[in-house]
Amino acid sequence: MRVGDEVVEVAVKESAPDATTLRGVITPSQLGASPGEVLVASYGHGDFARSVRAPVTACARDSAPTVVVGEADSGVPNAEDPQGCSLAQRLGLDRDWPDHGSLVSYVARESRALAAEGLLTAAQRARLISTVAGS
C-alpha cells in the first residue's frame, strides 16, 4: 500500500491453501494516514494486477476528553471538526516533528484556523499554545 508517496507493507494471510478470495481489513490510522492523503492498494500479479486509490476523508476516533501534549493536560476540550478529526489530531500532536520549534509554530498556525472555524475560543487557543510551548 502507499500512503502519499510512502510505501507501507501490509501482510495478507491466505485463509486456506485453495482460497480464491483473500481479505484484509486495515484502517487508515493503522497506516498513519491522515485526511487529505490518498491510499493506494495494489494486488494481484501479471495480467491480474490491479490497484485501487482511496482518499482518506476522516480521522480515527480519538476518545481523549481533553487535548494532552506529552504528559501535560491542557484542559482544552478535545472537540471534533466536521470530518471527525479531534483537535489533537488537527494539531499534529502525534506526529514526529524535526524539532520542538516546528511543533509550536504549527500549533500556533493551525490553532488560528481552528479558532476561525469556531472549534476554539481565544482563551483555549492561548492555553494550547502555552501547553505545547512548555512541553
Side-chain angles (χ1 to χ4, degrees), residues 9-10 25 53 64 84 86 99-101 105 108 126:
E9 293 291 326
V10 177
V25 177
R53 298 174 58 83
S86 70
D99 54 65
H100 187 66
S105 295

Side-chain angles (χ1 to χ4, degrees), residues 5-73:
D5 293 328
E6 185 179 339
V7 174
V8 179
E9 293 291 326
V10 177
V12 178
K13 191 174 183 181
E14 193 172 358
S15 58
D18 60 346
T20 57
T21 302
L22 301 176
R23 179 182 169 151
V25 177
I26 193 158
T27 65
S29 63
Q30 289 172 303
L31 298 171
S34 300
E37 292 184 304
V38 175
L39 299 179
V40 178
S42 301
Y43 57 96
H45 55 81
D47 292 338
F48 300 102
R50 302 285 183 272
S51 121
V52 176
R53 298 174 58 83
V56 178
T57 58
C59 291
R61 191 90 175 126
D62 182 352
S63 61
T66 57
V67 178
V68 177
V69 183
E71 306 226 352
D73 188 341

Side-chain angles (χ1 to χ4, degrees), residues 74-128:
S74 69
V76 174
N78 198 20
E80 288 185 350
D81 68 10
Q83 288 77 39
C85 297
S86 70
L87 291 181
Q89 290 167 323
R90 290 274 305 267
L91 294 170
L93 300 178
D94 60 348
R95 294 183 198 159
D96 290 327
W97 292 93
D99 54 65
H100 187 66
S102 297
L103 169 61
V104 175
S105 295
Y106 181 80
V107 168
R109 282 191 314 274
E110 185 65 15
S111 64
R112 184 177 303 117
L114 291 166
E117 293 172 34
L119 295 169
L120 281 177
T121 65
Q124 290 170 330
R125 179 175 181 256
R127 199 167 348 145
L128 279 173

